Amino acid sequence: MENEQKKQVVFSAIQPSGTITLGNYLGAVRNWVRMQDEYNCIYALADMHTITVRQEPAQMRKNILDAYASIMACGIDVEKSIFFIQSHVHTHAEMAWILNCYTQFGELSRMTQFKDKSAKHADNINAGLFTYPSLMAGDILLYQADKVPVGADQKQHIELTCDIAKRFNGLYGNVFKIPEGFIPKNGARVMSLQNPLNKMSKSDENANGCVHLLDPPEVIMKKFKRAVTDSDACVRYAEGKDGVNNLMTIYGAVTGKTYDEIEKEFDGKGYGDFKTAVGEAVIEELRPIRERYEQLIADKAYLEDCYHKSDELALRISSRTLNKAMKKVGFIK
Ligand code: TYM
Protein backbone atom coordinates (compact mmCIF):
# COMPACT_ATOMS: atom_id res chain seq x y z
CA MET A 1 0.00 0.00 0.00
CA GLU A 2 2.85 2.30 0.91
CA ASN A 3 4.32 1.52 -2.46
CA GLU A 4 0.99 2.24 -4.13
CA GLN A 5 1.01 5.72 -2.67
CA LYS A 6 4.42 6.45 -4.09
CA LYS A 7 3.39 5.59 -7.62
CA GLN A 8 2.88 8.56 -9.89
CA VAL A 9 -0.58 9.18 -11.29
CA VAL A 10 -1.32 8.82 -14.98
CA PHE A 11 -4.48 10.24 -16.52
CA SER A 12 -5.70 10.10 -20.09
CA ALA A 13 -8.94 9.89 -22.03
CA ILE A 14 -10.32 9.18 -25.47
CA GLN A 15 -13.47 10.33 -27.21
CA PRO A 16 -15.95 7.61 -28.16
CA SER A 17 -16.81 9.52 -31.32
CA GLY A 18 -16.51 6.55 -33.67
CA THR A 19 -14.43 3.43 -33.83
CA ILE A 20 -10.95 3.55 -32.33
CA THR A 21 -8.18 3.94 -34.92
CA LEU A 22 -4.66 2.64 -35.34
CA GLY A 23 -3.56 6.24 -34.65
CA ASN A 24 -5.34 6.29 -31.28
CA TYR A 25 -3.77 2.95 -30.46
CA LEU A 26 -0.16 3.71 -31.41
CA GLY A 27 -0.27 7.31 -30.21
CA ALA A 28 -1.97 6.75 -26.89
CA VAL A 29 -3.79 3.58 -25.87
CA ARG A 30 -0.82 1.26 -26.27
CA ASN A 31 1.05 3.38 -23.73
CA TRP A 32 -1.93 3.40 -21.41
CA VAL A 33 -1.67 -0.38 -21.30
CA ARG A 34 2.10 -0.37 -20.80
CA MET A 35 1.98 2.15 -17.95
CA GLN A 36 -0.42 0.14 -15.78
CA ASP A 37 2.18 -1.61 -13.63
CA GLU A 38 4.43 1.31 -12.94
CA TYR A 39 1.80 4.00 -12.33
CA ASN A 40 -1.59 4.53 -10.76
CA CYS A 41 -3.50 4.80 -13.99
CA ILE A 42 -6.83 6.53 -14.44
CA TYR A 43 -8.43 6.48 -17.88
CA ALA A 44 -11.73 7.78 -19.17
CA LEU A 45 -14.05 7.69 -22.12
CA ALA A 46 -14.51 11.41 -22.74
CA ASP A 47 -18.12 11.21 -23.88
CA MET A 48 -18.85 14.79 -22.80
CA HIS A 49 -16.21 15.99 -25.24
CA THR A 50 -17.95 14.06 -27.99
CA ILE A 51 -21.11 16.19 -28.01
CA THR A 52 -19.11 19.25 -29.10
CA VAL A 53 -19.87 17.78 -32.53
CA ARG A 54 -23.49 16.78 -33.22
CA GLN A 55 -24.12 13.06 -32.60
CA GLU A 56 -27.01 10.77 -33.44
CA PRO A 57 -28.18 9.52 -29.97
CA ALA A 58 -28.63 5.81 -30.75
CA GLN A 59 -25.32 5.68 -32.58
CA MET A 60 -23.61 7.53 -29.73
CA ARG A 61 -24.87 4.96 -27.19
CA LYS A 62 -23.46 2.19 -29.36
CA ASN A 63 -20.17 4.01 -29.88
CA ILE A 64 -19.68 4.47 -26.13
CA LEU A 65 -20.06 0.79 -25.37
CA ASP A 66 -18.00 -0.24 -28.40
CA ALA A 67 -15.21 2.13 -27.45
CA TYR A 68 -15.27 0.92 -23.85
CA ALA A 69 -14.97 -2.71 -24.98
CA SER A 70 -12.29 -1.85 -27.56
CA ILE A 71 -10.07 -0.08 -25.04
CA MET A 72 -10.49 -2.90 -22.54
CA ALA A 73 -9.60 -5.32 -25.34
CA CYS A 74 -6.30 -3.49 -25.83
CA GLY A 75 -5.36 -4.60 -22.34
CA ILE A 76 -6.74 -2.12 -19.80
CA ASP A 77 -7.25 -4.08 -16.61
CA VAL A 78 -9.74 -2.59 -14.15
CA GLU A 79 -8.21 -4.64 -11.36
CA LYS A 80 -5.10 -2.47 -11.75
CA SER A 81 -6.43 0.74 -13.27
CA ILE A 82 -9.52 2.90 -13.25
CA PHE A 83 -11.38 3.17 -16.56
CA PHE A 84 -14.54 5.25 -16.16
CA ILE A 85 -17.07 7.12 -18.26
CA GLN A 86 -16.70 10.89 -17.98
CA SER A 87 -20.43 11.77 -18.00
CA HIS A 88 -21.00 9.40 -15.05
CA VAL A 89 -18.71 11.44 -12.83
CA HIS A 90 -20.30 14.81 -12.20
CA THR A 91 -17.15 16.48 -10.86
CA HIS A 92 -15.93 16.91 -14.45
CA ALA A 93 -18.72 19.25 -15.51
CA GLU A 94 -18.35 21.22 -12.28
CA MET A 95 -14.59 21.55 -12.53
CA ALA A 96 -14.88 22.54 -16.18
CA TRP A 97 -17.14 25.45 -15.22
CA ILE A 98 -14.73 26.69 -12.60
CA LEU A 99 -11.76 26.41 -14.95
CA ASN A 100 -13.70 28.19 -17.70
CA CYS A 101 -13.59 31.21 -15.43
CA TYR A 102 -9.79 30.99 -15.25
CA THR A 103 -9.20 30.47 -18.96
CA GLN A 104 -8.86 33.37 -21.34
CA PHE A 105 -10.77 33.85 -24.56
CA GLY A 106 -7.48 34.54 -26.34
CA GLU A 107 -5.96 31.27 -25.14
CA LEU A 108 -8.89 29.22 -26.38
CA SER A 109 -8.89 31.11 -29.70
CA ARG A 110 -5.33 29.97 -30.36
CA MET A 111 -6.10 26.24 -30.10
CA THR A 112 -5.39 24.68 -33.49
CA GLN A 113 -7.91 21.91 -32.91
CA PHE A 114 -10.63 24.51 -32.37
CA LYS A 115 -9.65 26.24 -35.59
CA ASP A 116 -9.62 22.95 -37.52
CA LYS A 117 -12.89 21.72 -36.08
CA SER A 118 -14.69 25.01 -36.60
CA ALA A 119 -13.60 24.99 -40.24
CA LYS A 120 -14.91 21.44 -40.56
CA HIS A 121 -18.21 22.07 -38.73
CA ALA A 122 -18.85 25.65 -39.81
CA ASP A 123 -22.60 25.26 -39.18
CA ASN A 124 -22.11 24.35 -35.53
CA ILE A 125 -19.31 26.33 -33.90
CA ASN A 126 -20.80 25.95 -30.43
CA ALA A 127 -19.51 27.25 -27.10
CA GLY A 128 -18.62 23.69 -26.01
CA LEU A 129 -16.29 23.27 -28.97
CA PHE A 130 -14.59 26.50 -27.95
CA THR A 131 -14.25 25.72 -24.23
CA TYR A 132 -13.41 22.03 -24.72
CA PRO A 133 -9.79 22.55 -23.54
CA SER A 134 -10.96 23.68 -20.08
CA LEU A 135 -13.10 20.54 -19.76
CA MET A 136 -9.99 18.56 -20.71
CA ALA A 137 -7.87 20.52 -18.23
CA GLY A 138 -10.37 19.65 -15.51
CA ASP A 139 -10.23 15.96 -16.45
CA ILE A 140 -6.49 15.93 -15.85
CA LEU A 141 -6.25 18.28 -12.87
CA LEU A 142 -9.03 16.58 -10.88
CA TYR A 143 -6.78 13.53 -10.46
CA GLN A 144 -3.56 15.41 -9.65
CA ALA A 145 -2.01 13.60 -12.61
CA ASP A 146 1.77 13.53 -13.07
CA LYS A 147 1.76 12.18 -16.62
CA VAL A 148 -0.69 12.33 -19.50
CA PRO A 149 -0.02 9.81 -22.30
CA VAL A 150 -1.37 11.27 -25.55
CA GLY A 151 -0.54 11.63 -29.23
CA ALA A 152 1.21 14.76 -30.54
CA ASP A 153 -2.09 16.46 -31.49
CA GLN A 154 -2.99 16.93 -27.82
CA LYS A 155 0.26 18.66 -26.87
CA GLN A 156 -1.20 22.15 -27.14
CA HIS A 157 -4.15 21.25 -24.89
CA ILE A 158 -1.79 19.88 -22.26
CA GLU A 159 0.31 23.04 -22.35
CA LEU A 160 -2.85 25.07 -21.83
CA THR A 161 -3.81 22.76 -18.93
CA CYS A 162 -0.46 23.58 -17.30
CA ASP A 163 -0.99 27.33 -17.86
CA ILE A 164 -4.47 27.21 -16.29
CA ALA A 165 -3.21 25.14 -13.34
CA LYS A 166 -0.29 27.52 -12.71
CA ARG A 167 -2.60 30.52 -12.89
CA PHE A 168 -5.00 28.94 -10.38
CA ASN A 169 -2.17 27.86 -8.07
CA GLY A 170 -0.70 31.36 -8.32
CA LEU A 171 -3.93 32.79 -6.97
CA TYR A 172 -4.83 30.18 -4.36
CA GLY A 173 -1.76 28.13 -3.44
CA ASN A 174 -0.96 24.60 -4.51
CA VAL A 175 -4.31 23.19 -5.52
CA PHE A 176 -3.29 21.34 -8.69
CA LYS A 177 -0.32 19.18 -9.60
CA ILE A 178 1.27 20.47 -12.81
CA PRO A 179 1.07 17.57 -15.26
CA GLU A 180 3.42 16.57 -18.03
CA GLY A 181 2.51 15.21 -21.47
CA PHE A 182 3.86 11.76 -22.26
CA ILE A 183 4.18 11.56 -26.03
CA PRO A 184 5.69 8.43 -27.58
CA LYS A 185 8.85 8.70 -29.70
CA ASN A 186 7.31 6.45 -32.30
CA GLY A 187 3.66 6.62 -33.34
CA ALA A 188 2.77 10.02 -31.83
CA ARG A 189 1.39 11.20 -35.16
CA VAL A 190 0.07 8.50 -37.44
CA MET A 191 -1.04 10.01 -40.75
CA SER A 192 -3.85 9.10 -43.14
CA LEU A 193 -2.84 6.33 -45.56
CA GLN A 194 -4.52 8.26 -48.37
CA ASN A 195 -3.42 11.77 -47.51
CA PRO A 196 -0.24 11.52 -45.44
CA LEU A 197 -0.26 15.26 -44.77
CA ASN A 198 -3.37 14.82 -42.58
CA LYS A 199 -3.45 12.84 -39.36
CA MET A 200 -5.24 9.51 -39.38
CA SER A 201 -8.65 10.29 -37.95
CA LYS A 202 -11.92 8.57 -37.15
CA SER A 203 -13.65 11.08 -39.40
CA ASP A 204 -11.41 10.68 -42.47
CA GLU A 205 -13.61 11.23 -45.53
CA ASN A 206 -11.65 8.59 -47.40
CA ALA A 207 -12.36 5.28 -45.64
CA ASN A 208 -9.12 3.80 -46.99
CA GLY A 209 -7.10 6.43 -45.16
CA CYS A 210 -7.91 5.14 -41.69
CA VAL A 211 -7.28 1.72 -40.16
CA HIS A 212 -9.74 0.89 -37.39
CA LEU A 213 -8.78 -1.30 -34.48
CA LEU A 214 -11.55 -3.76 -35.34
CA ASP A 215 -11.04 -3.90 -39.12
CA PRO A 216 -10.88 -7.53 -40.33
CA PRO A 217 -7.43 -8.66 -41.57
CA GLU A 218 -8.34 -8.54 -45.26
CA VAL A 219 -9.60 -4.96 -44.92
CA ILE A 220 -6.40 -3.92 -43.15
CA MET A 221 -4.28 -5.48 -45.87
CA LYS A 222 -6.33 -3.82 -48.61
CA LYS A 223 -5.89 -0.41 -46.97
CA PHE A 224 -2.12 -0.82 -46.72
CA LYS A 225 -1.85 -2.07 -50.29
CA ARG A 226 -3.67 1.05 -51.45
CA ALA A 227 -1.62 3.40 -49.27
CA VAL A 228 -0.23 6.43 -51.09
CA THR A 229 3.57 6.32 -51.62
CA ASP A 230 5.74 8.05 -54.27
CA SER A 231 7.63 7.34 -57.45
CA ASP A 232 11.03 7.02 -55.76
CA ALA A 233 10.48 3.25 -55.30
CA CYS A 234 12.93 3.13 -52.40
CA VAL A 235 12.07 2.44 -48.76
CA ARG A 236 13.89 5.23 -46.95
CA TYR A 237 12.88 7.95 -44.52
CA ALA A 238 13.34 11.34 -46.17
CA GLU A 239 11.74 14.75 -46.57
CA GLY A 240 8.94 14.83 -49.10
CA LYS A 241 8.30 11.07 -48.82
CA ASP A 242 5.33 11.54 -46.50
CA GLY A 243 3.49 8.35 -47.46
CA VAL A 244 6.55 6.11 -47.08
CA ASN A 245 7.65 7.93 -43.92
CA ASN A 246 4.22 7.24 -42.43
CA LEU A 247 4.35 3.55 -43.33
CA MET A 248 7.85 3.34 -41.84
CA THR A 249 6.59 5.01 -38.67
CA ILE A 250 3.73 2.53 -38.37
CA TYR A 251 6.00 -0.44 -39.12
CA GLY A 252 8.59 0.81 -36.63
CA ALA A 253 5.99 1.47 -33.93
CA VAL A 254 4.56 -2.02 -34.29
CA THR A 255 7.79 -4.03 -34.68
CA GLY A 256 10.15 -1.91 -32.59
CA LYS A 257 12.54 -1.59 -35.56
CA THR A 258 14.42 1.65 -36.21
CA TYR A 259 14.27 3.49 -39.55
CA ASP A 260 17.80 2.25 -40.33
CA GLU A 261 16.79 -1.35 -39.73
CA ILE A 262 13.70 -0.94 -41.89
CA GLU A 263 15.74 0.59 -44.72
CA LYS A 264 18.15 -2.36 -44.60
CA GLU A 265 15.34 -4.90 -44.44
CA PHE A 266 13.77 -3.54 -47.63
CA ASP A 267 16.96 -2.65 -49.46
CA GLY A 268 16.44 -3.61 -53.12
CA LYS A 269 12.79 -4.49 -52.55
CA GLY A 270 9.80 -2.62 -53.93
CA TYR A 271 6.90 -0.86 -52.22
CA GLY A 272 4.66 -3.88 -52.82
CA ASP A 273 6.74 -6.08 -50.47
CA PHE A 274 7.03 -3.27 -47.96
CA LYS A 275 3.29 -2.55 -47.85
CA THR A 276 2.51 -6.25 -47.40
CA ALA A 277 4.98 -6.45 -44.51
CA VAL A 278 3.43 -3.40 -42.82
CA GLY A 279 -0.07 -4.82 -43.35
CA GLU A 280 0.94 -8.18 -41.87
CA ALA A 281 2.62 -6.61 -38.85
CA VAL A 282 -0.46 -4.49 -38.11
CA ILE A 283 -2.82 -7.44 -38.61
CA GLU A 284 -0.85 -9.51 -36.08
CA GLU A 285 -0.72 -6.64 -33.59
CA LEU A 286 -4.49 -6.10 -33.79
CA ARG A 287 -5.63 -9.74 -34.04
CA PRO A 288 -5.76 -10.47 -30.28
CA ILE A 289 -7.50 -7.12 -29.66
CA ARG A 290 -10.24 -7.94 -32.11
CA GLU A 291 -10.73 -11.39 -30.61
CA ARG A 292 -10.89 -10.03 -27.09
CA TYR A 293 -13.32 -7.31 -28.19
CA GLU A 294 -15.74 -9.94 -29.54
CA GLN A 295 -15.79 -11.64 -26.12
CA LEU A 296 -16.20 -8.39 -24.20
CA ILE A 297 -18.94 -6.85 -26.31
CA ALA A 298 -20.99 -10.03 -25.86
CA ASP A 299 -20.88 -9.55 -22.07
CA LYS A 300 -22.57 -6.21 -21.39
CA ALA A 301 -23.10 -7.04 -17.71
CA TYR A 302 -19.36 -7.43 -17.21
CA LEU A 303 -18.63 -4.14 -19.00
CA GLU A 304 -21.23 -2.40 -16.84
CA ASP A 305 -19.63 -3.81 -13.70
CA CYS A 306 -16.25 -2.53 -14.83
CA TYR A 307 -17.37 1.01 -15.49
CA HIS A 308 -19.61 1.30 -12.46
CA LYS A 309 -16.75 0.27 -10.21
CA SER A 310 -14.42 2.71 -11.95
CA ASP A 311 -16.99 5.53 -11.96
CA GLU A 312 -17.26 5.29 -8.17
CA LEU A 313 -13.52 5.35 -7.62
CA ALA A 314 -13.11 8.27 -10.01
CA LEU A 315 -15.83 10.22 -8.21
CA ARG A 316 -14.18 9.65 -4.86
CA ILE A 317 -10.73 10.80 -6.02
CA SER A 318 -11.92 13.75 -8.10
CA SER A 319 -14.28 15.05 -5.39
CA ARG A 320 -11.27 15.75 -3.16
CA THR A 321 -9.74 18.11 -5.72
CA LEU A 322 -13.06 19.69 -6.66
CA ASN A 323 -13.92 20.42 -3.02
CA LYS A 324 -10.51 21.92 -2.41
CA ALA A 325 -10.74 24.12 -5.50
CA MET A 326 -14.27 25.28 -4.61
CA LYS A 327 -13.22 26.17 -1.10
CA LYS A 328 -10.24 28.16 -2.35
CA VAL A 329 -12.39 30.08 -4.82
CA GLY A 330 -14.78 31.12 -2.04
CA PHE A 331 -17.82 28.88 -2.28
CA ILE A 332 -19.36 27.88 1.06
CA LYS A 333 -20.50 24.43 2.16
P1 TYM B 1 -9.01 11.75 -29.24
O1 TYM B 1 -10.22 10.95 -28.86
O2 TYM B 1 -9.07 12.57 -30.47
O3 TYM B 1 -7.76 10.80 -29.36
C1 TYM B 1 -7.41 9.88 -28.33
C2 TYM B 1 -5.90 9.76 -28.25
O4 TYM B 1 -5.38 9.30 -29.51
C3 TYM B 1 -4.36 10.19 -29.96
N1 TYM B 1 -4.43 10.24 -31.42
C4 TYM B 1 -3.40 9.97 -32.24
N2 TYM B 1 -2.13 9.61 -31.99
C5 TYM B 1 -1.33 9.38 -33.06
N3 TYM B 1 -1.73 9.51 -34.34
C6 TYM B 1 -3.00 9.87 -34.64
N4 TYM B 1 -3.38 9.98 -35.90
C7 TYM B 1 -3.89 10.12 -33.56
N5 TYM B 1 -5.20 10.50 -33.50
C8 TYM B 1 -5.49 10.58 -32.18
C9 TYM B 1 -4.69 11.53 -29.34
O5 TYM B 1 -3.56 12.36 -29.24
C10 TYM B 1 -5.23 11.11 -27.98
O6 TYM B 1 -4.16 10.92 -27.07
N6 TYM B 1 -9.36 15.63 -26.11
C11 TYM B 1 -8.91 14.28 -26.25
C12 TYM B 1 -9.54 13.35 -25.23
C13 TYM B 1 -9.39 13.82 -23.83
C14 TYM B 1 -8.19 13.79 -23.06
C15 TYM B 1 -8.56 14.32 -21.79
C16 TYM B 1 -6.90 13.34 -23.32
C17 TYM B 1 -10.37 14.37 -23.07
N7 TYM B 1 -9.88 14.66 -21.83
C18 TYM B 1 -7.59 14.44 -20.77
C19 TYM B 1 -5.95 13.45 -22.29
C20 TYM B 1 -6.31 13.98 -21.05
C21 TYM B 1 -9.25 13.76 -27.63
O7 TYM B 1 -10.13 14.27 -28.28
O8 TYM B 1 -8.57 12.66 -28.01
Side-chain angles (χ1 to χ4, degrees):
M1 192 62 207
E2 205 178 301
N3 224 359
E4 282 289 298
Q5 283 169 354
K6 278 194 204 126
K7 282 186 179 175
Q8 285 199 326
V9 176
V10 159
F11 181 90
S12 198
I14 186 166
Q15 290 198 49
S17 53
T19 54
I20 310 295
T21 71
L22 181 65
N24 296 138
Y25 176 70
L26 294 178
V29 180
R30 197 167 65 149
N31 283 327
W32 298 11
V33 174
R34 289 175 176 171
M35 294 172 102
Q36 290 182 104
D37 288 322
E38 203 182 322
Y39 298 91
N40 274 334
C41 294
I42 305 172
Y43 301 124
L45 270 194
D47 55 346
M48 286 159 67
H49 280 83
T50 299
I51 63 164
T52 55
V53 173
R54 201 71 74 227
Q55 304 290 323
E56 202 280 305
Q59 186 62 46
M60 175 159 155
R61 276 177 218 116
K62 182 175 180 307
N63 286 347
I64 292 173
L65 215 55
D66 273 354
Y68 196 87
S70 305
I71 303 291
M72 293 270 291
C74 291
I76 297 302
D77 178 356
V78 291
E79 297 298 321
K80 287 187 204 156
S81 309
I82 295 175
F83 180 33
F84 69 97
I85 299 183
Q86 186 188 33
S87 65
H88 294 183
V89 183
H90 61 80
T91 45
H92 289 254
E94 294 167 73
M95 183 57 98
W97 177 253
I98 294 176
L99 296 183
N100 268 333
C101 302
Y102 295 82
T103 308
Q104 299 302 305
F105 181 88
E107 289 175 311
L108 293 171
S109 313
R110 283 192 287 278
M111 294 296 112
T112 51
Q113 200 172 83
F114 171 69
K115 291 185 210 164
D116 292 349
K117 284 208 175 172
S118 23
K120 209 164 167 192
H121 304 279
D123 56 339
N124 183 24
I125 307 177
N126 60 75
L129 190 67
F130 187 63
T131 61
Y132 157 130
S134 30
L135 176 60
M136 177 163 161
D139 296 342
I140 299 168
L141 299 176
L142 276 171
Y143 298 91
Q144 307 289 349
D146 296 279
K147 290 203 165 69
V148 187
V150 285
D153 64 334
Q154 294 299 327
K155 190 164 173 265
Q156 199 185 25
H157 291 157
I158 294 185
E159 285 165 0
L160 179 58
T161 298
C162 293
D163 291 344
I164 298 169
K166 284 179 193 157
R167 179 173 306 140
F168 199 94
N169 286 352
L171 288 165
Y172 304 114
N174 275 344
V175 178
F176 301 125
K177 170 86 63 67
I178 308 300
E180 206 186 311
F182 183 93
I183 297 173
K185 281 196 188 75
N186 214 347
R189 188 180 284 280
V190 176
M191 309 308 276
S192 161
L193 300 182
Q194 287 298 311
N195 183 354
L197 294 174
N198 290 343
K199 76 166 183 179
M200 183 180 281
S201 133
K202 297 166 193 139
S203 57
D204 199 323
E205 279 140 34
N206 188 331
N208 285 322
C210 178
V211 174
H212 301 275
L213 223 52
L214 304 175
D215 276 345
E218 60 281 8
V219 173
I220 298 178
M221 187 53 87
K222 191 185 78 189
K223 288 179 179 173
F224 279 106
K225 286 200 165 154
R226 290 190 183 165
V228 167
T229 47
D230 52 53
S231 55
D232 180 38
C234 178
V235 178
R236 62 189 176 94
Y237 197 96
E239 216 183 307
K241 288 173 65 73
D242 303 299
V244 171
N245 294 348
N246 188 37
L247 291 174
M248 288 179 74
T249 299
I250 293 172
Y251 191 60
V254 172
T255 61
K257 292 176 184 168
T258 62
Y259 292 140
D260 267 356
E261 288 167 342
I262 300 171
E263 284 175 14
K264 281 199 191 95
E265 183 177 348
F266 294 96
D267 188 22
K269 293 190 185 146
Y271 286 157
D273 288 343
F274 177 49
K275 287 178 176 181
T276 304
V278 184
E280 278 168 359
V282 170
I283 288 168
E284 288 319 312
E285 177 81 15
L286 300 186
R287 190 188 301 281
I289 296 175
R290 196 160 156 253
E291 287 168 3
R292 180 85 184 112
Y293 165 84
E294 296 297 346
Q295 294 166 351
L296 285 165
I297 202 68
D299 193 351
K300 304 251 178 349
Y302 173 69
L303 292 175
E304 229 173 78
D305 264 5
C306 293
Y307 61 71
H308 282 159
K309 192 175 135 211
S310 285
D311 295 345
E312 260 175 49
L313 292 169
L315 178 62
R316 204 182 307 156
I317 299 170
S318 58
S319 294
R320 277 185 234 141
T321 307
L322 179 69
N323 288 337
K324 189 170 175 192
M326 289 182 76
K327 197 169 156 198
K328 294 280 187 183
V329 166
F331 291 105
I332 64 165
K333 271 281 172 216

